[in-house]
Amino acid sequence: MSTYNDGPDSTYKAAADYSTTGQYRFVALNSSRQAVLCSARGQKGAGVLQNDPSAANLPALVRQYASTKVEAGGAISPNDAVTTDSAGRA
């Protein structure tokens, strides 16, 4: 599957099953250009996963810019800078 880009969203292959953990979390791209959950605090991500692919190699819709939901790993106050934690949450 090739990458598809339409406005703020791009589609990549999922690297794993993200049906229960992954939607609305930060993802990065691995060396095969598959979407993987960010796994390090402050890791630079490719965007936020918008869908919940149930197996590896299924389409992963990644929001790269524009407004989106993000799962929070803790409290976020107004004007806080948002980054990823070790589980891909804000």
Coordinates of all heavy atoms in Angstrom, one line a residue:
M1 N 0.8 -1.2 0.0 CA 0.0 0.0 0.0 C 0.9 1.2 0.0 O 1.8 1.4 0.8 CB -0.9 0.0 1.3 CG -1.8 1.2 1.4 SD -2.7 1.1 2.9 CE -2.0 2.4 3.8
S2 N 0.6 2.1 -0.9 CA 1.4 3.4 -0.9 C 0.7 4.4 0.1 O -0.4 4.2 0.5 CB 1.4 3.9 -2.3 OG 0.1 4.1 -2.8
T3 N 1.5 5.4 0.4 CA 1.0 6.4 1.3 C 0.0 7.3 0.6 O 0.2 7.6 -0.6 CB 2.2 7.3 1.8 OG1 3.1 6.5 2.4 CG2 1.7 8.4 2.7
Y4 N -1.1 7.6 1.2 CA -2.1 8.5 0.7 C -2.2 9.7 1.5 O -2.2 9.7 2.7 CB -3.5 7.8 0.7 CG -4.6 8.7 0.2 CD1 -4.7 9.0 -1.2 CD2 -5.5 9.2 1.1 CE1 -5.7 9.8 -1.6 CE2 -6.5 10.0 0.6 CZ -6.6 10.3 -0.7 OH -7.6 11.1 -1.2
N5 N -2.2 10.9 0.9 CA -2.2 12.1 1.6 C -3.4 13.0 1.1 O -3.4 13.3 -0.1 CB -0.9 12.9 1.4 CG -0.8 14.1 2.3 OD1 -1.8 14.7 2.7 ND2 0.4 14.6 2.5
D6 N -4.3 13.4 2.0 CA -5.4 14.2 1.7 C -5.6 15.2 2.7 O -6.2 15.0 3.8 CB -6.7 13.3 1.5 CG -7.9 14.1 1.1 OD1 -7.7 15.1 0.5 OD2 -9.0 13.7 1.4
G7 N -5.1 16.4 2.5 CA -5.2 17.5 3.4 C -4.4 17.2 4.7 O -3.3 16.8 4.6
P8 N -5.0 17.4 5.9 CA -4.3 17.2 7.1 C -4.0 15.8 7.4 O -3.2 15.5 8.4 CB -5.2 17.8 8.1 CG -6.6 17.6 7.6 CD -6.4 17.8 6.1
D9 N -4.6 14.8 6.7 CA -4.4 13.4 7.1 C -3.6 12.6 6.0 O -3.7 12.9 4.8 CB -5.8 12.7 7.2 CG -6.6 13.3 8.2 OD1 -6.1 13.8 9.3 OD2 -7.9 13.3 8.1
S10 N -2.8 11.7 6.4 CA -2.1 10.8 5.6 C -2.3 9.4 6.0 O -2.6 9.1 7.2 CB -0.6 11.0 5.6 OG -0.3 12.3 5.0
T11 N -2.3 8.4 5.1 CA -2.5 7.0 5.4 C -1.2 6.2 5.2 O -0.6 6.3 4.2 CB -3.6 6.4 4.5 OG1 -4.8 7.2 4.6 CG2 -3.9 5.0 4.9
Y12 N -0.9 5.5 6.3 CA 0.3 4.6 6.3 C -0.2 3.2 6.7 O -1.3 3.0 7.1 CB 1.3 5.1 7.3 CG 1.8 6.5 7.0 CD1 1.2 7.5 7.7 CD2 2.8 6.7 6.1 CE1 1.6 8.8 7.4 CE2 3.3 8.0 5.9 CZ 2.7 9.1 6.6 OH 3.1 10.3 6.3
K13 N 0.6 2.2 6.6 CA 0.3 0.9 7.1 C 0.5 0.9 8.6 O 1.5 1.5 9.1 CB 1.2 -0.2 6.5 CG 0.9 -0.5 5.1 CD 1.8 -1.6 4.6 CE 1.5 -2.0 3.1 NZ 2.4 -3.0 2.7
A14 N -0.3 0.3 9.4 CA -0.2 0.1 10.8 C 0.9 -0.9 11.1 O 1.0 -1.9 10.4 CB -1.5 -0.3 11.5
A15 N 1.7 -0.7 12.1 CA 2.8 -1.7 12.4 C 2.3 -2.8 13.3 O 2.9 -3.8 13.5 CB 4.0 -1.0 13.1
A16 N 1.1 -2.6 13.9 CA 0.5 -3.5 14.9 C -1.0 -3.3 15.0 O -1.5 -2.5 14.3 CB 1.2 -3.3 16.3
D17 N -1.6 -4.1 15.9 CA -3.0 -4.0 16.2 C -3.2 -2.8 17.1 O -2.7 -2.8 18.3 CB -3.5 -5.3 16.8 CG -4.9 -5.2 17.3 OD1 -5.6 -4.2 17.2 OD2 -5.4 -6.3 17.7
Y18 N -3.9 -1.8 16.7 CA -4.1 -0.6 17.6 C -5.6 -0.5 17.9 O -6.1 0.6 18.1 CB -3.6 0.7 16.9 CG -2.1 0.6 16.7 CD1 -1.5 0.8 15.5 CD2 -1.3 0.4 17.8 CE1 -0.2 0.8 15.3 CE2 0.1 0.4 17.6 CZ 0.6 0.6 16.4 OH 2.0 0.5 16.2
S19 N -6.4 -1.6 17.8 CA -7.8 -1.5 18.0 C -8.2 -1.2 19.4 O -9.3 -0.6 19.7 CB -8.5 -2.8 17.6 OG -8.0 -3.9 18.3
T20 N -7.4 -1.5 20.4 CA -7.8 -1.2 21.8 C -6.9 -0.1 22.4 O -7.3 0.6 23.3 CB -7.7 -2.4 22.7 OG1 -6.3 -3.0 22.6 CG2 -8.7 -3.5 22.3
T21 N -5.7 0.1 21.9 CA -4.8 1.1 22.3 C -4.1 1.7 21.1 O -3.3 1.1 20.4 CB -3.7 0.6 23.2 OG1 -4.3 -0.1 24.3 CG2 -2.8 1.6 23.8
G22 N -4.4 3.0 20.8 CA -3.7 3.6 19.7 C -4.5 4.8 19.1 O -3.9 5.8 18.8
Q23 N -5.8 4.7 19.0 CA -6.6 5.8 18.5 C -6.4 7.0 19.3 O -6.5 7.0 20.5 CB -8.1 5.4 18.4 CG -8.9 6.4 17.6 CD -10.3 6.0 17.4 OE1 -10.9 5.2 18.2 NE2 -11.0 6.5 16.4
Y24 N -6.2 8.1 18.7 CA -6.0 9.4 19.3 C -4.7 9.5 20.1 O -4.6 10.3 21.0 CB -7.2 9.9 20.1 CG -8.4 9.9 19.3 CD1 -9.5 9.2 19.6 CD2 -8.5 10.7 18.1 CE1 -10.7 9.2 18.8 CE2 -9.6 10.7 17.3 CZ -10.7 10.0 17.7 OH -11.8 10.0 16.9
R25 N -3.7 8.7 19.8 CA -2.4 8.8 20.4 C -1.4 9.2 19.3 O -1.6 9.0 18.1 CB -2.0 7.4 21.0 CG -2.8 7.1 22.2 CD -2.2 5.9 23.0 NE -3.0 5.6 24.1 CZ -2.6 4.8 25.1 NH1 -1.4 4.2 25.0 NH2 -3.5 4.5 26.1
F26 N -0.2 9.7 19.7 CA 0.8 10.1 18.8 C 1.5 8.9 18.2 O 1.8 7.9 18.9 CB 1.9 11.0 19.6 CG 1.4 12.3 19.9 CD1 1.0 12.6 21.2 CD2 1.4 13.4 19.0 CE1 0.6 13.9 21.5 CE2 1.0 14.6 19.3 CZ 0.6 14.9 20.6
V27 N 1.8 9.0 16.9 CA 2.5 7.9 16.2 C 3.7 8.5 15.5 O 3.7 9.7 15.2 CB 1.6 7.1 15.2 CG1 0.5 6.4 16.0 CG2 1.0 8.1 14.2
A28 N 4.7 7.7 15.3 CA 5.9 8.0 14.5 C 5.9 7.0 13.4 O 5.1 6.0 13.3 CB 7.1 7.9 15.4
L29 N 6.8 7.1 12.5 CA 7.0 6.2 11.4 C 8.3 5.4 11.6 O 9.3 6.0 11.9 CB 7.1 6.9 10.0 CG 5.9 7.7 9.6 CD1 6.1 8.4 8.3 CD2 4.6 6.9 9.6
N30 N 8.2 4.0 11.5 CA 9.4 3.2 11.7 C 10.2 3.2 10.3 O 9.8 3.9 9.4 CB 9.0 1.8 12.1 CG 8.2 1.0 11.1 OD1 8.1 1.3 10.0 ND2 7.6 -0.1 11.6
S31 N 11.2 2.4 10.3 CA 12.1 2.4 9.1 C 11.4 1.9 7.9 O 11.8 2.2 6.7 CB 13.4 1.6 9.4 OG 13.0 0.3 9.7
S32 N 10.3 1.2 8.1 CA 9.5 0.7 6.9 C 8.3 1.6 6.6 O 7.5 1.3 5.8 CB 8.9 -0.7 7.3 OG 9.9 -1.6 7.5
R33 N 8.4 2.8 7.2 CA 7.3 3.8 7.0 C 5.9 3.3 7.5 O 4.9 3.7 6.9 CB 7.3 4.4 5.6 CG 8.6 5.1 5.3 CD 8.6 6.1 4.1 NE 7.5 7.0 4.0 CZ 7.4 8.2 4.7 NH1 8.3 8.5 5.5 NH2 6.3 8.9 4.4
Q34 N 5.9 2.5 8.5 CA 4.7 2.1 9.1 C 4.4 2.9 10.4 O 5.4 3.3 11.0 CB 4.7 0.6 9.6 CG 4.8 -0.4 8.4 CD 5.0 -1.8 8.9 OE1 5.9 -2.0 9.8 NE2 4.2 -2.7 8.4
A35 N 3.1 3.1 10.7 CA 2.8 3.9 11.9 C 3.0 3.1 13.1 O 2.4 2.0 13.2 CB 1.3 4.4 11.8
V36 N 3.8 3.6 14.1 CA 4.0 2.9 15.4 C 3.7 4.0 16.5 O 3.9 5.2 16.3 CB 5.4 2.4 15.5 CG1 5.7 1.3 14.5 CG2 6.4 3.5 15.4
L37 N 3.2 3.5 17.6 CA 3.0 4.4 18.7 C 4.3 5.0 19.2 O 5.3 4.4 19.2 CB 2.4 3.7 19.9 CG 0.9 3.3 19.8 CD1 0.5 2.6 21.1 CD2 0.0 4.5 19.5
C38 N 4.3 6.3 19.5 CA 5.5 7.0 20.1 C 5.8 6.2 21.4 O 4.9 6.0 22.2 CB 5.3 8.4 20.3 SG 5.3 9.4 18.8
S39 N 7.0 5.9 21.6 CA 7.4 5.1 22.8 C 8.4 5.8 23.7 O 8.9 5.1 24.6 CB 7.9 3.8 22.3 OG 9.0 3.9 21.5
A40 N 8.7 7.0 23.5 CA 9.6 7.7 24.4 C 9.1 9.1 24.6 O 8.5 9.8 23.8 CB 11.0 7.9 23.7
R41 N 9.2 9.6 25.9 CA 8.8 10.9 26.3 C 9.4 11.9 25.4 O 10.7 11.9 25.2 CB 9.1 11.1 27.7 CG 8.6 12.4 28.3 CD 8.9 12.5 29.8 NE 8.4 13.7 30.3 CZ 7.2 13.8 30.9 NH1 6.5 12.7 31.1 NH2 6.7 15.0 31.3
G42 N 8.6 12.8 24.8 CA 9.2 13.9 23.9 C 9.6 13.4 22.5 O 10.1 14.2 21.8
Q43 N 9.3 12.2 22.2 CA 9.6 11.7 20.8 C 8.9 12.5 19.8 O 7.7 12.9 19.9 CB 9.2 10.2 20.7 CG 9.5 9.6 19.4 CD 9.1 8.1 19.3 OE1 8.7 7.6 20.3 NE2 9.3 7.5 18.1
K44 N 9.6 12.8 18.7 CA 9.0 13.5 17.6 C 8.1 12.6 16.8 O 8.5 11.5 16.4 CB 10.1 14.1 16.6 CG 9.5 14.9 15.5 CD 10.5 15.5 14.7 CE 9.9 16.4 13.5 NZ 10.9 17.0 12.7
G45 N 6.8 12.9 16.7 CA 5.9 12.1 16.1 C 5.5 12.5 14.7 O 5.8 13.7 14.3
A46 N 4.9 11.7 13.9 CA 4.4 12.0 12.6 C 3.0 12.6 12.6 O 2.6 13.3 11.7 CB 4.4 10.8 11.7
G47 N 2.3 12.4 13.7 CA 0.9 12.9 13.9 C 0.2 12.1 14.9 O 0.8 11.4 15.7
V48 N -1.2 12.2 14.8 CA -2.1 11.5 15.8 C -2.9 10.5 15.0 O -3.5 10.9 14.0 CB -2.9 12.5 16.5 CG1 -3.9 11.9 17.4 CG2 -2.1 13.5 17.3
L49 N -2.9 9.3 15.5 CA -3.7 8.2 14.8 C -5.2 8.5 15.0 O -5.7 8.7 16.1 CB -3.4 6.9 15.5 CG -4.0 5.6 14.8 CD1 -3.5 5.5 13.4 CD2 -3.7 4.4 15.7
Q50 N -5.9 8.5 13.9 CA -7.4 8.9 13.9 C -8.3 7.7 13.9 O -9.4 7.8 14.3 CB -7.7 9.7 12.6 CG -6.9 11.1 12.6 CD -7.3 12.0 13.8 OE1 -8.4 12.4 13.9 NE2 -6.3 12.2 14.6
N51 N -7.8 6.5 13.4 CA -8.7 5.4 13.4 C -8.1 4.3 14.3 O -7.2 4.6 15.1 CB -8.8 4.8 11.9 CG -7.5 4.4 11.3 OD1 -6.4 4.7 11.8 ND2 -7.6 3.6 10.3
D52 N -8.6 3.1 14.3 CA -8.2 2.0 15.2 C -7.9 0.7 14.4 O -8.7 -0.2 14.5 CB -9.2 1.8 16.3 CG -10.6 1.6 15.8 OD1 -10.8 1.7 14.6 OD2 -11.4 1.2 16.7
P53 N -6.9 0.7 13.6 CA -6.6 -0.5 12.8 C -6.5 -1.8 13.7 O -5.8 -1.7 14.7 CB -5.3 -0.2 12.0 CG -4.7 0.9 12.7 CD -5.8 1.7 13.4
S54 N -7.1 -2.9 13.3 CA -7.2 -4.1 14.1 C -6.1 -5.1 13.9 O -6.1 -6.1 14.5 CB -8.5 -4.7 14.0 OG -8.8 -5.1 12.7
A55 N -5.2 -4.8 12.9 CA -4.1 -5.7 12.6 C -2.9 -4.9 11.9 O -3.2 -3.9 11.3 CB -4.5 -6.8 11.8
A56 N -1.8 -5.5 12.0 CA -0.6 -4.9 11.2 C -1.0 -4.9 9.7 O -1.7 -5.7 9.2 CB 0.6 -5.7 11.5
N57 N -0.4 -3.9 9.1 CA -0.6 -3.7 7.6 C -2.0 -3.1 7.2 O -2.2 -2.9 6.0 CB -0.2 -4.9 6.8 CG 1.2 -5.3 7.0 OD1 2.1 -4.4 7.0 ND2 1.5 -6.5 7.2
L58 N -2.9 -2.9 8.1 CA -4.1 -2.3 7.8 C -3.9 -0.8 7.7 O -2.9 -0.2 8.3 CB -5.2 -2.6 8.8 CG -5.7 -4.0 8.7 CD1 -6.8 -4.2 9.8 CD2 -6.3 -4.4 7.4
P59 N -4.7 0.0 7.0 CA -4.5 1.5 6.9 C -4.6 2.2 8.3 O -5.5 1.9 9.1 CB -5.7 1.9 6.0 CG -6.1 0.7 5.2 CD -5.8 -0.5 6.2
A60 N -3.6 3.0 8.5 CA -3.6 3.9 9.7 C -3.7 5.3 9.3 O -2.8 5.8 8.6 CB -2.3 3.6 10.5
L61 N -4.8 6.0 9.6 CA -5.0 7.3 9.2 C -4.4 8.3 10.2 O -4.8 8.3 11.4 CB -6.5 7.6 9.1 CG -7.0 9.0 8.6 CD1 -6.5 9.1 7.2 CD2 -8.5 9.1 8.7
V62 N -3.4 9.0 9.8 CA -2.6 9.9 10.7 C -2.9 11.4 10.4 O -2.7 11.8 9.3 CB -1.1 9.6 10.6 CG1 -0.3 10.5 11.5 CG2 -0.8 8.1 10.8
R63 N -3.4 12.1 11.4 CA -3.6 13.5 11.3 C -2.3 14.2 11.6 O -1.7 14.1 12.6 CB -4.6 14.0 12.3 CG -4.9 15.4 12.5 CD -5.8 16.1 11.5 NE -6.9 15.3 10.9 CZ -8.2 15.3 11.4 NH1 -8.6 16.1 12.4 NH2 -9.1 14.6 10.8
Q64 N -1.8 14.9 10.5 CA -0.5 15.5 10.6 C -0.5 17.0 11.0 O 0.4 17.5 11.5 CB 0.3 15.3 9.3 CG 0.6 13.9 9.1 CD 1.3 13.6 7.8 OE1 0.9 14.1 6.7 NE2 2.3 12.8 7.9
Y65 N -1.6 17.6 10.7 CA -1.8 19.0 11.2 C -3.3 19.3 11.3 O -4.1 18.5 10.7 CB -1.1 20.0 10.3 CG -1.6 20.1 8.9 CD1 -2.6 20.9 8.5 CD2 -1.0 19.3 7.9 CE1 -3.1 21.0 7.2 CE2 -1.5 19.3 6.6 CZ -2.5 20.2 6.2 OH -2.9 20.2 4.9
A66 N -3.7 20.3 11.9 CA -5.1 20.7 12.1 C -5.6 20.1 13.5 O -4.9 19.3 14.1 CB -6.1 20.2 11.0
S67 N -6.8 20.5 13.9 CA -7.3 20.1 15.2 C -7.6 18.6 15.2 O -8.0 18.0 14.2 CB -8.6 20.9 15.5 OG -8.3 22.3 15.6
T68 N -7.4 18.0 16.4 CA -7.7 16.6 16.6 C -7.9 16.3 18.1 O -7.4 17.1 18.9 CB -6.6 15.7 16.0 OG1 -7.0 14.4 16.1 CG2 -5.3 15.9 16.7
K69 N -8.5 15.2 18.4 CA -8.5 14.7 19.7 C -7.2 14.1 20.0 O -6.5 13.6 19.1 CB -9.6 13.6 19.9 CG -11.0 14.1 19.8 CD -11.9 12.9 20.0 CE -13.3 13.3 19.8 NZ -14.3 12.1 20.0
V70 N -6.7 14.1 21.3 CA -5.5 13.4 21.7 C -5.8 12.9 23.1 O -6.3 13.6 23.9 CB -4.3 14.4 21.8 CG1 -3.1 13.6 22.3 CG2 -4.0 15.0 20.4
E71 N -5.4 11.6 23.3 CA -5.6 11.0 24.6 C -4.5 11.6 25.5 O -3.3 11.6 25.2 CB -5.4 9.5 24.5 CG -5.7 8.8 25.9 CD -5.6 7.3 25.8 OE1 -5.7 6.7 24.7 OE2 -5.4 6.7 26.9
A72 N -4.9 12.1 26.7 CA -4.0 12.7 27.7 C -3.5 11.6 28.7 O -4.3 10.8 29.1 CB -4.7 13.8 28.4
G73 N -2.2 11.7 29.0 CA -1.7 10.8 30.0 C -1.7 11.5 31.4 O -1.3 10.9 32.4
G74 N -2.1 12.7 31.5 CA -2.2 13.4 32.7 C -2.9 14.7 32.5 O -3.5 15.0 31.4
A75 N -2.9 15.6 33.5 CA -3.6 16.9 33.4 C -2.9 17.8 32.4 O -1.7 17.8 32.4 CB -3.7 17.5 34.8
I76 N -3.7 18.5 31.6 CA -3.1 19.5 30.7 C -3.8 20.9 31.1 O -5.0 20.9 31.0 CB -3.3 19.2 29.3 CG1 -2.7 17.8 28.9 CG2 -2.8 20.3 28.3 CD1 -3.0 17.3 27.6
S77 N -3.0 21.9 31.4 CA -3.6 23.2 31.7 C -3.5 24.1 30.5 O -2.6 23.9 29.6 CB -2.8 23.8 32.8 OG -2.9 23.0 34.0
P78 N -4.3 25.1 30.4 CA -4.2 26.1 29.3 C -2.8 26.6 29.2 O -2.1 26.8 30.2 CB -5.1 27.2 29.7 CG -6.1 26.6 30.6 CD -5.3 25.5 31.4
N79 N -2.3 26.8 28.0 CA -1.0 27.3 27.6 C 0.2 26.3 27.9 O 1.3 26.7 27.7 CB -0.7 28.6 28.3 CG -1.7 29.7 27.9 OD1 -2.0 29.8 26.7 ND2 -2.2 30.5 28.8
D80 N -0.2 25.1 28.3 CA 0.9 24.1 28.4 C 1.4 23.6 27.1 O 0.6 23.5 26.1 CB 0.3 22.8 29.1 CG 0.3 22.9 30.7 OD1 0.8 23.9 31.2 OD2 -0.3 22.0 31.3
A81 N 2.7 23.4 26.9 CA 3.2 22.8 25.7 C 2.8 21.3 25.8 O 2.9 20.7 26.9 CB 4.7 22.9 25.7
V82 N 2.4 20.7 24.7 CA 2.0 19.3 24.7 C 3.0 18.5 23.9 O 3.5 18.9 22.8 CB 0.6 19.2 24.0 CG1 0.2 17.7 23.9 CG2 -0.4 20.0 24.8
T83 N 3.4 17.4 24.5 CA 4.4 16.5 23.9 C 3.9 15.1 24.2 O 2.9 14.9 24.9 CB 5.8 16.7 24.4 OG1 6.7 15.9 23.7 CG2 5.9 16.5 25.9
T84 N 4.6 14.1 23.7 CA 4.2 12.7 23.9 C 4.8 12.1 25.1 O 5.9 12.5 25.5 CB 4.5 11.9 22.7 OG1 4.0 10.6 22.9 CG2 5.9 11.8 22.3
D85 N 4.1 11.2 25.8 CA 4.7 10.4 26.8 C 5.2 9.0 26.3 O 5.2 8.9 25.0 CB 3.8 10.2 28.0 CG 2.5 9.3 27.7 OD1 2.5 8.7 26.6 OD2 1.7 9.2 28.6
S86 N 5.6 8.1 27.1 CA 6.2 6.9 26.6 C 5.1 5.9 26.1 O 5.4 4.8 25.6 CB 7.0 6.2 27.7 OG 6.1 5.9 28.8
A87 N 3.8 6.3 26.1 CA 2.7 5.4 25.6 C 2.0 6.1 24.5 O 0.9 5.7 24.1 CB 1.8 5.1 26.7
G88 N 2.6 7.2 24.0 CA 1.9 7.9 22.8 C 0.9 8.9 23.2 O 0.2 9.5 22.4
R89 N 0.6 9.1 24.5 CA -0.4 10.0 25.0 C 0.2 11.4 25.2 O 1.4 11.6 25.2 CB -0.9 9.6 26.3 CG -1.6 8.2 26.3 CD -2.0 7.7 27.7 NE -0.8 7.6 28.4 CZ -0.6 6.7 29.4 NH1 -1.6 6.0 29.8 NH2 0.5 6.6 30.1
A90 N -0.7 12.4 25.2 CA -0.2 13.8 25.4 C 0.2 14.0 26.8 O -0.3 13.4 27.7 CB -1.3 14.8 25.0

